Amino acid sequence: MTEVLTRKQEITQAAAELFQKKGYPSTSMRDLAAKVGLEPSSIYSHIKSKEDLLSDICMNCAFEFSKGMQWVLNTKSSPTVKLELLIDLHLKMAIDNPSSVTVFNDEWRFLSPDVKEEFLELRKSYESLFKNILLEGRESKRFSINNVDIVFELIIQTMTIFYKSAKKHPKEELKRQVTHFIKEAIRQKLEVRN
Amino acid sequence: MTEVLTRKQEITQAAAELFQKKGYPSTSMRDLAAKVGLEPSSIYSHIKSKEDLLSDICMNCAFEFSKGMQWVLNTKSSPTVKLELLIDLHLKMAIDNPSSVTVFNDEWRFLSPDVKEEFLELRKSYESLFKNILLEGRESKRFSINNVDIVFELIIQTMTIFYKSAKKHPKEELKRQVTHFIKEAIRQKLEVRN
DNA sequence: CCTACCGATCGGTAGG
DNA sequence: CCTACCGATCGGTAGG
């Protein structure tokens, strides 16, 4: 039973690596078969379609991010700490499964319409919860944020460095620099009274 | 004579829009032909190959960025002003030709090996000049930058918001927010003497 | 998990 | 700029 899961997971993992390297549309099932040492048609004993592989990878990441967000919210910590925990979450996702997260980020537009709709709903919910933390931080005078939508996107883009450069820099260094960069960018300057 | 150029440019522009929307590998010459109102084979009266379209788009952007960098360096202004001008440059590129810049950023990996090599050389040179400005700012105590390589990548990633969100926000608002975000992120905190 | 095979689509050419 | 067409490759199925 674990044997079946393992085989399918092995294929899915190999697919994630190929989708990352070559992109989803130009990865062929023959590429994938060669990578896992099977004949092309044999792949279909384990998975339903090429489309399903992409769905599995993207939706899995989406759920992991949602779960991570719930965990962060449950800590009931300050906006500053929540933001730090979210940076950790994005780093952890990138370190644990770099291929899947890259595919999740760059190849989701090739999802079939149905799955894409579900995917975008999850993402929208995640974005909304993230922005709430930024708003909370602004209202409590911890963050200096003029336009929450723009700053949210800036933070998200900033964190993509985790999987675009994960190999080039040590994990802890990356975490320190990114956290510092983001926190300084939105730091509330206290007025100095003379 | 301008007629010839115009027709080719029209096709290249249409290609950029399709490559952006569907990705290079899954854009077919039949898609492109339909978009410009020709039969598939007629495209080849104006361009040499699908590959050449991608090369034109990517290399053109690369040269424009290089030219922009030279212009900025020639101002011989302070690192702070140079950084602001580079942010303007990235914004201007994204506004003037959003499709091409997106393709330049996301689809260059599909360039043929020869062109890719040339492309990466141009990019490496651009990165090097950009980092020099950051170093200059750090040495003159204007920027607080711990790891130049990481901060460079953070800034570049930050600026991708220009073409990922150009439609969602007014240009001037985007420029103000992004410039503020980056400058605060690397701002040198002056020590306060009591 | 394999052999054999399918219809569809691809980038591109010949010839006018 | 079009008609006609090519070989290659695609995702996937039938049948065992």
Side-chain angles (χ1 to χ4, degrees), chain B residues 144-183:
Chain B
S144 167
I145 295 175
N146 191 320
N147 184 318
V148 171
D149 291 330
I150 292 181
V151 167
F152 166 73
E153 281 170 44
L154 289 171
I155 292 174
I156 290 289
Q157 282 307 315
T158 298
M159 291 189 295
T160 61
I161 196 185
F162 288 144
Y163 55 88
K164 305 232 172 196
S165 311
K167 293 119 207 161
K168 280 185 270 180
H169 310 285
K171 174 183 166 173
E172 285 306 319
E173 169 79 350
L174 218 38
K175 174 174 165 175
R176 224 180 313 122
Q177 298 294 323
V178 172
T179 304
H180 183 265
F181 189 88
I182 292 175
K183 285 177 72 179

Side-chain angles (χ1 to χ4, degrees), chain B:
Chain B
M1 185 173 165
T2 53
E3 188 62 39
V4 176
L5 283 175
T6 302
R7 196 75 175 117
K8 180 171 179 178
Q9 281 170 345
E10 182 196 333
I11 292 171
T12 306
Q13 175 58 33
E17 286 165 26
L18 286 172
F19 293 168
Q20 172 185 25
K21 193 168 70 177
K22 308 171 57 118
Y24 173 76
S26 48
T27 298
S28 74
M29 295 307 268
R30 284 152 178 90
D31 294 331
L32 179 56
K35 179 151 185 161
V36 296
L38 291 177
E39 292 302 312
S41 65
S42 304
I43 296 281
Y44 292 92
S45 304
H46 302 96
I47 59 119
K48 228 189 71 194
S49 65
K50 184 185 176 186
E51 221 170 49
D52 269 26
L53 284 169
L54 182 62
S55 302
D56 280 357
I57 294 163
C58 290
M59 293 310 289
N60 220 313
C61 280
F63 285 128
E64 287 299 312
F65 272 114
S66 294
K67 270 168 47 185
M69 173 64 84
Q70 278 312 318
W71 184 88
V72 168
L73 293 177
N74 282 338
T75 64
K76 305 203 183 296
S77 41
S78 70
T80 306
V81 172
K82 279 185 193 147
L83 179 59
E84 281 168 8
L85 291 173
L86 284 172
I87 296 171
D88 288 352
L89 171 64
H90 282 247
L91 176 59
K92 190 180 170 358
M93 291 289 291
I95 298 282
D96 289 354
N97 213 329
S99 305
S100 293
V101 176
T102 307
V103 171
F104 161 83
N105 204 71
D106 296 344
E107 310 290 326
W108 64 267
R109 60 186 166 142
F110 300 110
L111 289 168
S112 61
D114 288 4
V115 181
K116 196 193 292 187
E117 195 180 344
E118 199 186 339
F119 177 87
L120 287 175
E121 259 168 50
L122 274 174
R123 198 177 72 172
K124 200 173 163 186
S125 154
Y126 184 85
E127 288 181 4
S128 176
L129 295 170
F130 203 126
K131 286 180 191 174
N132 281 348
I133 294 171
L134 297 181
L135 284 168
E136 201 192 332
R138 178 217 256 169
E139 275 155 32
S140 58
K141 312 273 188 208
R142 271 174 266 242
F143 300 157
S144 167
I145 295 175
N146 191 320
N147 184 318
V148 171
D149 291 330
I150 292 181
V151 167
F152 166 73
E153 281 170 44
L154 289 171
I155 292 174
I156 290 289
Q157 282 307 315
T158 298
M159 291 189 295
T160 61
I161 196 185
F162 288 144
Y163 55 88
K164 305 232 172 196
S165 311
K167 293 119 207 161
K168 280 185 270 180
H169 310 285
K171 174 183 166 173
E172 285 306 319
E173 169 79 350
L174 218 38
K175 174 174 165 175
R176 224 180 313 122
Q177 298 294 323
V178 172
T179 304
H180 183 265
F181 189 88
I182 292 175
K183 285 177 72 179
E184 287 300 321
I186 64 172
R187 185 200 217 106
Q188 181 73 259
K189 257 69 61 187
L190 301 172
E191 282 167 33
V192 180
R193 288 139 206 269
N194 292 323

Side-chain angles (χ1 to χ4, degrees), chain A residues 6 14 16 20-21 27 36 47 51 55-56 66 72 75 91 94 102 107 116 120 138 146 179:
Chain A
T6 301
Q20 171 184 26
K21 193 168 71 177
T27 298
V36 296
I47 58 119
E51 222 170 49
S55 302
D56 280 356
S66 294
V72 169
T75 63
L91 176 59
T102 307
E107 310 291 326
K116 196 192 292 186
L120 287 175
R138 179 217 254 167
N146 191 319
T179 304

Side-chain angles (χ1 to χ4, degrees), chain A residues 80-120:
Chain A
T80 306
V81 172
K82 279 185 192 148
L83 179 58
E84 281 168 9
L85 292 173
L86 284 172
I87 295 171
D88 287 353
L89 171 64
H90 282 245
L91 176 59
K92 190 179 171 356
M93 291 289 291
I95 298 282
D96 288 355
N97 214 329
S99 305
S100 293
V101 175
T102 307
V103 171
F104 161 82
N105 204 71
D106 297 343
E107 310 291 326
W108 64 266
R109 60 187 165 140
F110 300 110
L111 290 168
S112 62
D114 287 4
V115 181
K116 196 192 292 186
E117 196 180 343
E118 198 186 340
F119 177 87
L120 287 175

